[in-house]
Every structure is written in C-alpha cells, then in structure tokens.
Amino acid sequence: IRLSEKLINWRFAPDGKSILTLDRQGRLARLTGHDFQESETVIDVGAIEVGALVKSMFRLSLISTDCRLAAVGTTTGGVQVWDLQRRKLLHKVSVSTGNVWPLGFLLKSRKLFVYCEHDSSIREWDMSEWRETRSCTAKRIVPPFAATSDEHWLLLGQRGGRDLVLNTATGGEHRLDPYTGFSWGATFSANGKRFAGASSTGFVKLWEWDAVTGTRRQAHTFDRFMLGAHSVAFSPDNKRLAAGSSGHESIRLWDVESKEDLLALDEPSWGSWKTDFSPDGNVLGSLDMLGVLRLWRAPSWEEIATAEAKEKAVLKQP
C-alpha cells in the first residue's frame, strides 16, 4: 500500500485499526477502513514551515504513542501542543529561537522533549506547569530519542557516541561508552531487554539492555546496506527487527534471536526515516523523506495456502 500525500509524520493508533498522519499543509488525519483508504481530518494545525527540502527530512512534528497528543515545532522557536481527542490547541510555548524539533513525549510524567537547533540543546518541558525543567547539549542535527515502554529509561543521542541515559524515576543520568554514533533512529524493544540503532553510514547495531543498571552490551551488527540505514523498529512480540533504508531495500527484516536476515522489501524509496509495526505485528509501515508512507501487510494463513495451491497447480501443468 502506498500513501503519497507529502506526509511529515505518522503513527499507528493503539488499537491498530487506524493510522494518524500529518501532512505539510498541517492537516492531521485519521486513516481507517480497508487498507486505510478512508480519511477524516482530526485537526488543522496550519501549514508546516518546511521550507527547503533538507528541512523536511527531520522531525518537525510528533504524535504521542497513545495518539492523544501532537506537537509541532516552528522555525521561530515555538512549539504547539495539540489535544487530539478534544481537537483543540492545548498550549503554545516559546522554547528558543530558530528551528525547534519535537523529539518525544513521556506521557506518565507529562514531559515533552525538544531539540533547539540554534544552540544544539535538548530541553525538557513539564507539560503540567509549562516550564523548562532540564537541558543538555546534543551537538547533532535532530538527535535520536528513545524511551522504554515503562518510561523508566530515556536515551538521548549525543555527539561522538557518548549517549546520555536518564533514569526518570531517580533523576540520575550517565553516559554510555562511545561507539560509532547513530545518525538517525534508535528504539527499545517492547519488553525493554534490547536496544537498536540505525546509522546512515550503513549498519544497524543491536544491544542487550540491562533494565536495572541502564547499561548495554553489544550483541550484533547488521550491515551491508547499500545506501545506509535510517530507522529501526522491533515487532510487538520482540522477535523481529526492521530497518528502514533507501533505494531497492526500503525495509530489511531480521530474526532477533538467530540474527538471520529474513527478507528485504524491494520498494524504491528515499530514506525511510520512520518505521514501525502495527500493534498486532501484521502491518509494517515506513515513511520516507519525500513524504511517502508505505505499508506492507503480512499474509494470512488462508492467503498463504491459496498461493501455495496456485503454485502447485502451475507446477503440475505439462
């Protein structure tokens, strides 16, 4: 399924029956129905300040994991936070000057993290009181952001690979050992036992994650990308790892335990920067830098049986 609407962000709804998308005209829509072809506008946030193509590569917007909130950054230092259930602007706050990129929500503690380009800072905002509560320097163009599903651990990508790990329960923080740093995406598995990150230089790294100490041990490197890796996602059952790439290997998929290379989805794309599985794991989606969202659905057992029957019939023909 190919949805071309010049999108800048998307997310599966928690029930897996719909998808939220945000396009460059500022229309945040809910896609439902067969193959998500039915569209309903949820809110209109106004035209997104994309400007040059290079700006459209990065995360100008953010949709929360529960699809209740959305944040949109501006080129003038502001962030808008929208309540998607009530379909209204919740708050508009000035956090900096210049370009601001929303990075992620922590829903349990009502925190919003943003990246401010003019001073390369990551800033934490308390959404209960709308005040800044923490800041650190990233020195990267839109650093990776990842949190465990329980929001106990938060990782912020830093320059030179000295990633900052925050313990949200205690407020403690420490730096991880350096490595060849990520240029794009990073994510935790749903069970919090693994961590993965993608590099545009052509590899995906997989770590075992210690949820007690917040440390990682490298488990494997998946490489041989022709055009780099830009995003990563674990399947909900923690058994598969998908990576978004470019060209004719839009998505590559591995078995997490065996590290076996399972398949490559051959669909021409340019920089699949936001990849994710549906909650039931049956649909895999990826948004590229040109704003095209591609969806792949796993075949049912019935569809597999039908395909195998047809193949057998063809082989029996003289």
Side-chain angles (χ1 to χ4, degrees), residues 147-211:
T148 52
S149 57
D150 61 6
E151 298 185 354
H152 186 79
W153 293 103
L154 174 65
L155 182 140
L156 299 171
Q158 301 288 285
R159 187 176 186 180
R162 296 288 291 176
D163 286 345
L164 176 65
V165 175
L166 304 178
N167 185 317
T168 59
T170 65
E173 60 180 62
H174 66 272
R175 302 278 180 175
L176 297 178
D177 291 335
Y179 60 94
T180 304
F182 303 138
S183 297
W184 294 99
T187 189
F188 290 94
S189 60
N191 60 11
K193 294 182 178 181
R194 291 184 173 90
F195 176 81
S199 172
S200 60
T201 56
F203 60 84
V204 169
K205 286 187 178 291
L206 175 69
W207 282 269
E208 304 293 334
W209 180 263
D210 189 325

Short mmCIF file of all heavy atoms in Angstrom, two decimals, residues 147-211:
data_model
loop_
_atom_site.label_atom_id
_atom_site.label_comp_id
_atom_site.label_asym_id
_atom_site.label_seq_id
_atom_site.Cartn_x
_atom_site.Cartn_y
_atom_site.Cartn_z
N ALA A 147 12.77 5.78 24.46
CA ALA A 147 12.38 5.51 25.84
C ALA A 147 11.85 4.09 25.95
O ALA A 147 11.24 3.57 25.00
CB ALA A 147 11.31 6.50 26.31
N THR A 148 12.08 3.45 27.10
CA THR A 148 11.49 2.13 27.33
C THR A 148 9.98 2.29 27.47
O THR A 148 9.48 3.38 27.77
CB THR A 148 12.07 1.50 28.60
OG1 THR A 148 11.95 2.41 29.70
CG2 THR A 148 13.54 1.15 28.41
N SER A 149 9.24 1.20 27.25
CA SER A 149 7.78 1.29 27.27
C SER A 149 7.24 1.72 28.63
O SER A 149 6.18 2.34 28.70
CB SER A 149 7.16 -0.05 26.86
OG SER A 149 7.61 -1.09 27.71
N ASP A 150 7.98 1.40 29.70
CA ASP A 150 7.54 1.85 31.03
C ASP A 150 8.05 3.25 31.36
O ASP A 150 7.79 3.76 32.45
CB ASP A 150 7.98 0.86 32.11
CG ASP A 150 9.51 0.70 32.19
OD1 ASP A 150 10.23 1.44 31.48
OD2 ASP A 150 9.97 -0.17 32.95
N GLU A 151 8.81 3.86 30.41
CA GLU A 151 9.36 5.21 30.55
C GLU A 151 10.33 5.33 31.71
O GLU A 151 10.61 6.42 32.19
CB GLU A 151 8.24 6.26 30.69
CG GLU A 151 7.33 6.32 29.48
CD GLU A 151 6.30 7.43 29.55
OE1 GLU A 151 6.20 8.08 30.60
OE2 GLU A 151 5.58 7.63 28.56
N HIS A 152 10.89 4.20 32.15
CA HIS A 152 11.85 4.23 33.24
C HIS A 152 13.21 4.73 32.77
O HIS A 152 13.93 5.40 33.51
CB HIS A 152 11.98 2.84 33.87
CG HIS A 152 12.84 2.79 35.09
ND1 HIS A 152 12.38 3.19 36.33
CD2 HIS A 152 14.12 2.40 35.27
CE1 HIS A 152 13.35 3.04 37.22
NE2 HIS A 152 14.41 2.57 36.60
N TRP A 153 13.57 4.38 31.53
CA TRP A 153 14.85 4.78 30.97
C TRP A 153 14.62 5.60 29.70
O TRP A 153 13.76 5.29 28.89
CB TRP A 153 15.71 3.57 30.63
CG TRP A 153 16.16 2.80 31.83
CD1 TRP A 153 15.66 1.62 32.28
CD2 TRP A 153 17.21 3.17 32.73
NE1 TRP A 153 16.31 1.23 33.41
CE2 TRP A 153 17.28 2.16 33.72
CE3 TRP A 153 18.09 4.26 32.81
CZ2 TRP A 153 18.19 2.20 34.76
CZ3 TRP A 153 19.00 4.30 33.85
CH2 TRP A 153 19.05 3.28 34.80
N LEU A 154 15.43 6.62 29.56
CA LEU A 154 15.35 7.52 28.41
C LEU A 154 16.75 7.71 27.85
O LEU A 154 17.70 8.01 28.59
CB LEU A 154 14.78 8.87 28.84
CG LEU A 154 14.76 9.99 27.81
CD1 LEU A 154 13.83 9.64 26.67
CD2 LEU A 154 14.33 11.30 28.46
N LEU A 155 16.89 7.51 26.54
CA LEU A 155 18.19 7.69 25.89
C LEU A 155 18.13 8.85 24.92
O LEU A 155 17.21 8.94 24.11
CB LEU A 155 18.62 6.42 25.17
CG LEU A 155 20.00 6.49 24.50
CD1 LEU A 155 20.77 5.19 24.69
CD2 LEU A 155 19.89 6.82 23.02
N LEU A 156 19.11 9.74 25.02
CA LEU A 156 19.22 10.89 24.13
C LEU A 156 20.54 10.80 23.39
O LEU A 156 21.61 10.75 24.00
CB LEU A 156 19.16 12.20 24.93
CG LEU A 156 17.87 12.43 25.72
CD1 LEU A 156 18.02 13.64 26.64
CD2 LEU A 156 16.69 12.62 24.79
N GLY A 157 20.49 10.75 22.05
CA GLY A 157 21.70 10.64 21.26
C GLY A 157 22.58 11.87 21.39
O GLY A 157 22.10 13.00 21.33
N GLN A 158 23.87 11.63 21.57
CA GLN A 158 24.81 12.73 21.77
C GLN A 158 25.94 12.66 20.74
O GLN A 158 26.20 11.61 20.14
CB GLN A 158 25.42 12.67 23.17
CG GLN A 158 24.38 12.74 24.29
CD GLN A 158 23.79 14.12 24.43
OE1 GLN A 158 24.41 15.03 24.95
NE2 GLN A 158 22.58 14.29 23.95
N ARG A 159 26.62 13.74 20.58
CA ARG A 159 27.72 13.80 19.62
C ARG A 159 28.86 12.90 20.07
O ARG A 159 29.19 12.83 21.24
CB ARG A 159 28.21 15.25 19.50
CG ARG A 159 29.25 15.44 18.40
CD ARG A 159 29.63 16.90 18.28
NE ARG A 159 30.51 17.12 17.16
CZ ARG A 159 30.98 18.31 16.83
NH1 ARG A 159 30.64 19.38 17.53
NH2 ARG A 159 31.78 18.45 15.79
N GLY A 160 29.47 12.19 19.10
CA GLY A 160 30.60 11.34 19.41
C GLY A 160 30.23 10.02 20.05
O GLY A 160 31.09 9.26 20.47
N GLY A 161 28.92 9.72 20.14
CA GLY A 161 28.52 8.44 20.66
C GLY A 161 28.40 8.36 22.17
O GLY A 161 28.04 7.33 22.72
N ARG A 162 28.71 9.43 22.90
CA ARG A 162 28.57 9.42 24.36
C ARG A 162 27.12 9.72 24.70
O ARG A 162 26.78 10.79 25.23
CB ARG A 162 29.51 10.44 24.99
CG ARG A 162 30.98 10.14 24.79
CD ARG A 162 31.43 8.97 25.63
NE ARG A 162 31.42 9.31 27.05
CZ ARG A 162 31.69 8.47 28.02
NH1 ARG A 162 31.97 7.22 27.72
NH2 ARG A 162 31.68 8.85 29.28
N ASP A 163 26.26 8.76 24.43
CA ASP A 163 24.83 8.97 24.62
C ASP A 163 24.49 9.19 26.09
O ASP A 163 25.10 8.61 26.99
CB ASP A 163 24.04 7.76 24.12
CG ASP A 163 23.99 7.71 22.60
OD1 ASP A 163 24.30 8.73 21.98
OD2 ASP A 163 23.65 6.65 22.06
N LEU A 164 23.50 10.05 26.31
CA LEU A 164 23.05 10.35 27.66
C LEU A 164 21.86 9.47 28.00
O LEU A 164 20.88 9.43 27.26
CB LEU A 164 22.65 11.83 27.76
CG LEU A 164 22.07 12.31 29.09
CD1 LEU A 164 23.12 12.21 30.19
CD2 LEU A 164 21.57 13.74 28.96
N VAL A 165 21.95 8.75 29.13
CA VAL A 165 20.86 7.91 29.60
C VAL A 165 20.31 8.50 30.89
O VAL A 165 21.05 8.77 31.84
CB VAL A 165 21.34 6.47 29.86
CG1 VAL A 165 20.21 5.63 30.47
CG2 VAL A 165 21.82 5.84 28.57
N LEU A 166 18.99 8.73 30.91
CA LEU A 166 18.34 9.31 32.08
C LEU A 166 17.46 8.27 32.75
O LEU A 166 16.71 7.55 32.09
CB LEU A 166 17.46 10.51 31.67
CG LEU A 166 18.13 11.65 30.91
CD1 LEU A 166 17.10 12.71 30.56
CD2 LEU A 166 19.26 12.26 31.74
N ASN A 167 17.58 8.18 34.07
CA ASN A 167 16.67 7.36 34.87
C ASN A 167 15.55 8.27 35.32
O ASN A 167 15.74 9.14 36.17
CB ASN A 167 17.42 6.76 36.07
CG ASN A 167 16.55 5.81 36.87
OD1 ASN A 167 15.38 6.08 37.13
ND2 ASN A 167 17.13 4.69 37.26
N THR A 168 14.38 8.11 34.73
CA THR A 168 13.29 9.04 35.00
C THR A 168 12.72 8.88 36.40
O THR A 168 12.05 9.79 36.91
CB THR A 168 12.16 8.87 33.98
OG1 THR A 168 11.67 7.52 34.05
CG2 THR A 168 12.66 9.13 32.57
N ALA A 169 12.97 7.73 37.05
CA ALA A 169 12.46 7.52 38.40
C ALA A 169 13.31 8.22 39.45
O ALA A 169 12.80 8.83 40.39
CB ALA A 169 12.39 6.03 38.70
N THR A 170 14.64 8.18 39.27
CA THR A 170 15.55 8.76 40.26
C THR A 170 16.12 10.11 39.84
O THR A 170 16.65 10.85 40.67
CB THR A 170 16.72 7.81 40.53
OG1 THR A 170 17.51 7.69 39.32
CG2 THR A 170 16.21 6.43 40.93
N GLY A 171 16.02 10.42 38.55
CA GLY A 171 16.63 11.65 38.05
C GLY A 171 18.09 11.51 37.74
O GLY A 171 18.75 12.46 37.30
N GLY A 172 18.64 10.32 37.96
CA GLY A 172 20.06 10.10 37.69
C GLY A 172 20.35 10.04 36.21
O GLY A 172 19.48 9.75 35.39
N GLU A 173 21.59 10.31 35.86
CA GLU A 173 22.00 10.27 34.46
C GLU A 173 23.43 9.81 34.35
O GLU A 173 24.24 9.99 35.26
CB GLU A 173 21.83 11.64 33.79
CG GLU A 173 22.64 12.75 34.41
CD GLU A 173 22.42 14.09 33.71
OE1 GLU A 173 21.27 14.57 33.71
OE2 GLU A 173 23.41 14.63 33.17
N HIS A 174 23.76 9.16 33.24
CA HIS A 174 25.14 8.77 32.97
C HIS A 174 25.35 8.66 31.47
O HIS A 174 24.40 8.64 30.69
CB HIS A 174 25.50 7.46 33.67
CG HIS A 174 24.76 6.27 33.17
ND1 HIS A 174 23.53 5.88 33.67
CD2 HIS A 174 25.07 5.35 32.19
CE1 HIS A 174 23.12 4.79 33.06
NE2 HIS A 174 24.02 4.45 32.15
N ARG A 175 26.62 8.60 31.09
CA ARG A 175 26.98 8.49 29.68
C ARG A 175 27.37 7.06 29.35
O ARG A 175 28.04 6.40 30.13
CB ARG A 175 28.16 9.42 29.36
CG ARG A 175 27.91 10.88 29.66
CD ARG A 175 27.16 11.55 28.55
NE ARG A 175 26.92 12.97 28.84
CZ ARG A 175 26.37 13.81 27.99
NH1 ARG A 175 25.98 13.39 26.81
NH2 ARG A 175 26.17 15.07 28.31
N LEU A 176 26.93 6.60 28.19
CA LEU A 176 27.32 5.27 27.73
C LEU A 176 28.67 5.33 27.04
O LEU A 176 29.11 6.39 26.57
CB LEU A 176 26.27 4.72 26.77
CG LEU A 176 24.87 4.50 27.36
CD1 LEU A 176 23.93 4.00 26.27
CD2 LEU A 176 24.91 3.50 28.51
N ASP A 177 29.33 4.18 26.97
CA ASP A 177 30.61 4.12 26.29
C ASP A 177 30.46 4.53 24.83
O ASP A 177 29.44 4.24 24.20
CB ASP A 177 31.19 2.71 26.36
CG ASP A 177 31.60 2.34 27.78
OD1 ASP A 177 31.88 3.27 28.56
OD2 ASP A 177 31.62 1.14 28.09
N PRO A 178 31.47 5.19 24.28
CA PRO A 178 31.35 5.67 22.90
C PRO A 178 31.33 4.52 21.90
O PRO A 178 31.84 3.43 22.13
CB PRO A 178 32.61 6.53 22.71
CG PRO A 178 33.58 5.99 23.71
CD PRO A 178 32.75 5.57 24.88
N TYR A 179 30.75 4.78 20.76
CA TYR A 179 30.68 3.84 19.65
C TYR A 179 30.50 4.68 18.39
O TYR A 179 30.45 5.90 18.46
CB TYR A 179 29.50 2.86 19.81
CG TYR A 179 28.17 3.57 19.87
CD1 TYR A 179 27.41 3.76 18.72
CD2 TYR A 179 27.70 4.10 21.07
CE1 TYR A 179 26.20 4.44 18.77
CE2 TYR A 179 26.50 4.79 21.12
CZ TYR A 179 25.76 4.95 19.97
OH TYR A 179 24.58 5.63 20.03
N THR A 180 30.44 4.03 17.26
CA THR A 180 30.17 4.78 16.03
C THR A 180 28.73 5.25 16.08
O THR A 180 27.81 4.48 15.93
CB THR A 180 30.41 3.90 14.79
OG1 THR A 180 31.74 3.39 14.84
CG2 THR A 180 30.23 4.71 13.53
N GLY A 181 28.54 6.51 16.28
CA GLY A 181 27.23 7.04 16.66
C GLY A 181 26.15 6.91 15.61
O GLY A 181 26.41 6.74 14.43
N PHE A 182 24.91 6.98 16.08
CA PHE A 182 23.77 6.93 15.19
C PHE A 182 23.60 8.27 14.49
O PHE A 182 23.86 9.31 15.06
CB PHE A 182 22.48 6.64 15.96
CG PHE A 182 22.52 5.37 16.74
CD1 PHE A 182 21.98 5.33 18.01
CD2 PHE A 182 23.10 4.23 16.22
CE1 PHE A 182 22.01 4.16 18.74
CE2 PHE A 182 23.13 3.06 16.94
CZ PHE A 182 22.59 3.02 18.21
N SER A 183 23.11 8.20 13.27
CA SER A 183 22.75 9.42 12.59
C SER A 183 21.25 9.62 12.59
O SER A 183 20.77 10.72 12.38
CB SER A 183 23.26 9.38 11.13
OG SER A 183 24.67 9.31 11.11
N TRP A 184 20.47 8.51 12.83
CA TRP A 184 19.04 8.60 12.71
C TRP A 184 18.31 7.99 13.88
O TRP A 184 18.29 8.54 14.96
CB TRP A 184 18.59 7.96 11.39
CG TRP A 184 19.08 8.69 10.20
CD1 TRP A 184 20.16 8.40 9.43
CD2 TRP A 184 18.53 9.91 9.65
NE1 TRP A 184 20.32 9.32 8.43
CE2 TRP A 184 19.33 10.25 8.55
CE3 TRP A 184 17.45 10.72 9.98
CZ2 TRP A 184 19.08 11.38 7.77
CZ3 TRP A 184 17.20 11.82 9.20
CH2 TRP A 184 18.01 12.15 8.11
N GLY A 185 17.72 6.81 13.68
CA GLY A 185 16.77 6.31 14.65
C GLY A 185 17.36 5.38 15.69
O GLY A 185 18.40 4.76 15.50
N ALA A 186 16.66 5.26 16.82
CA ALA A 186 17.00 4.34 17.89
C ALA A 186 15.72 3.93 18.59
O ALA A 186 14.76 4.70 18.64
CB ALA A 186 17.96 5.01 18.87
N THR A 187 15.69 2.71 19.13
CA THR A 187 14.48 2.24 19.77
C THR A 187 14.78 1.12 20.75
O THR A 187 15.78 0.42 20.63
CB THR A 187 13.47 1.73 18.72
OG1 THR A 187 12.22 1.47 19.35
CG2 THR A 187 13.96 0.47 18.04
N PHE A 188 13.89 0.96 21.74
CA PHE A 188 13.92 -0.16 22.66
C PHE A 188 12.88 -1.19 22.22
O PHE A 188 11.84 -0.83 21.64
CB PHE A 188 13.58 0.29 24.09
CG PHE A 188 14.64 1.12 24.76
CD1 PHE A 188 14.58 2.50 24.72
CD2 PHE A 188 15.68 0.51 25.44
CE1 PHE A 188 15.55 3.27 25.34
CE2 PHE A 188 16.65 1.28 26.07
CZ PHE A 188 16.59 2.66 26.02
N SER A 189 13.14 -2.46 22.54
CA SER A 189 12.12 -3.49 22.32
C SER A 189 11.01 -3.31 23.34
O SER A 189 11.20 -2.68 24.39
CB SER A 189 12.73 -4.89 22.44
OG SER A 189 13.30 -5.08 23.74
N ALA A 190 9.84 -3.88 23.05
CA ALA A 190 8.69 -3.70 23.93
C ALA A 190 8.92 -4.25 25.33
O ALA A 190 8.42 -3.71 26.31
CB ALA A 190 7.47 -4.37 23.30
N ASN A 191 9.71 -5.33 25.43
CA ASN A 191 9.99 -5.90 26.74
C ASN A 191 11.16 -5.24 27.46
O ASN A 191 11.52 -5.62 28.58
CB ASN A 191 10.23 -7.41 26.63
CG ASN A 191 11.42 -7.75 25.73
OD1 ASN A 191 12.21 -6.89 25.33
ND2 ASN A 191 11.54 -9.03 25.39
N GLY A 192 11.76 -4.25 26.83
CA GLY A 192 12.84 -3.49 27.46
C GLY A 192 14.15 -4.23 27.58
O GLY A 192 15.07 -3.76 28.27
N LYS A 193 14.31 -5.36 26.89
CA LYS A 193 15.53 -6.16 27.03
C LYS A 193 16.56 -5.89 25.94
O LYS A 193 17.70 -6.33 26.05
CB LYS A 193 15.17 -7.65 27.03
CG LYS A 193 14.34 -8.07 28.24
CD LYS A 193 14.07 -9.57 28.20
CE LYS A 193 13.28 -10.01 29.43
NZ LYS A 193 13.02 -11.47 29.42
N ARG A 194 16.14 -5.19 24.89
CA ARG A 194 17.07 -4.93 23.80
C ARG A 194 16.93 -3.49 23.33
O ARG A 194 15.91 -2.84 23.52
CB ARG A 194 16.82 -5.89 22.63
CG ARG A 194 17.22 -7.32 22.93
CD ARG A 194 17.05 -8.20 21.71
NE ARG A 194 17.58 -9.54 21.93
CZ ARG A 194 16.87 -10.55 22.40
NH1 ARG A 194 15.57 -10.37 22.70
NH2 ARG A 194 17.42 -11.74 22.57
N PHE A 195 17.99 -3.03 22.67
CA PHE A 195 18.05 -1.68 22.14
C PHE A 195 18.70 -1.76 20.77
O PHE A 195 19.63 -2.54 20.56
CB PHE A 195 18.88 -0.80 23.09
CG PHE A 195 19.08 0.60 22.60
CD1 PHE A 195 18.09 1.55 22.77
CD2 PHE A 195 20.26 0.97 21.96
CE1 PHE A 195 18.27 2.85 22.32
CE2 PHE A 195 20.44 2.26 21.50
CZ PHE A 195 19.45 3.21 21.69
N ALA A 196 18.21 -0.97 19.82
CA ALA A 196 18.77 -0.98 18.47
C ALA A 196 18.87 0.43 17.95
O ALA A 196 18.09 1.31 18.33
CB ALA A 196 17.92 -1.83 17.53
N GLY A 197 19.84 0.65 17.07
CA GLY A 197 20.01 1.96 16.47
C GLY A 197 20.51 1.85 15.05
O GLY A 197 21.20 0.88 14.69
N ALA A 198 20.15 2.83 14.22
CA ALA A 198 20.50 2.82 12.80
C ALA A 198 21.48 3.95 12.49
O ALA A 198 21.37 5.04 13.03
CB ALA A 198 19.24 2.99 11.96
N SER A 199 22.40 3.66 11.60
CA SER A 199 23.36 4.66 11.15
C SER A 199 23.29 4.82 9.64
O SER A 199 23.23 3.83 8.91
CB SER A 199 24.79 4.26 11.55
OG SER A 199 25.73 5.14 10.95
N SER A 200 23.30 6.05 9.18
CA SER A 200 23.27 6.30 7.74
C SER A 200 24.57 5.89 7.06
O SER A 200 24.65 5.89 5.84
CB SER A 200 22.98 7.78 7.47
OG SER A 200 23.99 8.59 8.05
N THR A 201 25.58 5.53 7.85
CA THR A 201 26.83 5.06 7.26
C THR A 201 26.75 3.59 6.86
O THR A 201 27.70 3.04 6.31
CB THR A 201 28.02 5.26 8.23
OG1 THR A 201 27.72 4.61 9.47
CG2 THR A 201 28.25 6.73 8.48
N GLY A 202 25.61 2.92 7.16
CA GLY A 202 25.39 1.61 6.59
C GLY A 202 25.30 0.44 7.54
O GLY A 202 25.64 -0.69 7.15
N PHE A 203 24.80 0.63 8.77
CA PHE A 203 24.65 -0.51 9.65
C PHE A 203 23.56 -0.26 10.69
O PHE A 203 23.14 0.87 10.92
CB PHE A 203 25.97 -0.83 10.37
CG PHE A 203 26.50 0.29 11.23
CD1 PHE A 203 26.05 0.48 12.53
CD2 PHE A 203 27.45 1.18 10.73
CE1 PHE A 203 26.52 1.51 13.32
CE2 PHE A 203 27.93 2.22 11.52
CZ PHE A 203 27.46 2.38 12.82
N VAL A 204 23.12 -1.35 11.30
CA VAL A 204 22.22 -1.32 12.46
C VAL A 204 22.89 -2.10 13.57
O VAL A 204 23.36 -3.23 13.34
CB VAL A 204 20.85 -1.95 12.13
CG1 VAL A 204 20.03 -2.16 13.40
CG2 VAL A 204 20.07 -1.06 11.17
N LYS A 205 22.94 -1.53 14.75
CA LYS A 205 23.54 -2.22 15.90
C LYS A 205 22.44 -2.66 16.85
O LYS A 205 21.47 -1.93 17.09
CB LYS A 205 24.55 -1.33 16.62
CG LYS A 205 25.87 -1.16 15.87
CD LYS A 205 26.89 -0.43 16.70
CE LYS A 205 28.22 -0.30 15.94
NZ LYS A 205 28.88 -1.61 15.78
N LEU A 206 22.63 -3.86 17.40
CA LEU A 206 21.70 -4.43 18.37
C LEU A 206 22.44 -4.66 19.68
O LEU A 206 23.54 -5.21 19.70
CB LEU A 206 21.15 -5.76 17.84
CG LEU A 206 20.24 -6.56 18.78
CD1 LEU A 206 18.91 -5.83 18.97
CD2 LEU A 206 20.00 -7.96 18.22
N TRP A 207 21.82 -4.21 20.79
CA TRP A 207 22.39 -4.39 22.12
C TRP A 207 21.43 -5.14 23.02
O TRP A 207 20.20 -5.03 22.88
CB TRP A 207 22.68 -3.04 22.80
CG TRP A 207 23.90 -2.34 22.33
CD1 TRP A 207 25.17 -2.44 22.83
CD2 TRP A 207 23.99 -1.39 21.27
NE1 TRP A 207 26.03 -1.63 22.15
CE2 TRP A 207 25.34 -0.97 21.19
CE3 TRP A 207 23.06 -0.86 20.38
CZ2 TRP A 207 25.78 -0.03 20.26
CZ3 TRP A 207 23.49 0.06 19.45
CH2 TRP A 207 24.83 0.47 19.40
N GLU A 208 21.99 -5.86 24.00
CA GLU A 208 21.22 -6.36 25.12
C GLU A 208 21.17 -5.21 26.13
O GLU A 208 22.18 -4.58 26.42
CB GLU A 208 21.89 -7.59 25.75
CG GLU A 208 22.13 -8.73 24.77
CD GLU A 208 20.85 -9.34 24.27
OE1 GLU A 208 19.83 -9.25 24.99
OE2 GLU A 208 20.85 -9.91 23.16
N TRP A 209 19.97 -4.97 26.68
CA TRP A 209 19.79 -3.83 27.58
C TRP A 209 19.53 -4.31 29.00
O TRP A 209 18.68 -5.17 29.22
CB TRP A 209 18.63 -2.96 27.10
CG TRP A 209 18.37 -1.75 27.96
CD1 TRP A 209 17.45 -1.63 28.95
CD2 TRP A 209 19.07 -0.51 27.90
NE1 TRP A 209 17.53 -0.38 29.52
CE2 TRP A 209 18.52 0.33 28.89
CE3 TRP A 209 20.11 -0.02 27.11
CZ2 TRP A 209 18.97 1.63 29.10
CZ3 TRP A 209 20.55 1.28 27.32
CH2 TRP A 209 19.98 2.09 28.30
N ASP A 210 20.27 -3.76 29.97
CA ASP A 210 20.08 -4.08 31.38
C ASP A 210 19.12 -3.06 31.98
O ASP A 210 19.50 -1.90 32.18
CB ASP A 210 21.42 -4.06 32.12
CG ASP A 210 21.31 -4.60 33.55
OD1 ASP A 210 20.26 -4.37 34.19
OD2 ASP A 210 22.27 -5.23 34.01
N ALA A 211 17.88 -3.48 32.27
CA ALA A 211 16.87 -2.55 32.76
C ALA A 211 17.09 -2.11 34.19
O ALA A 211 16.46 -1.18 34.67
CB ALA A 211 15.48 -3.20 32.65
#
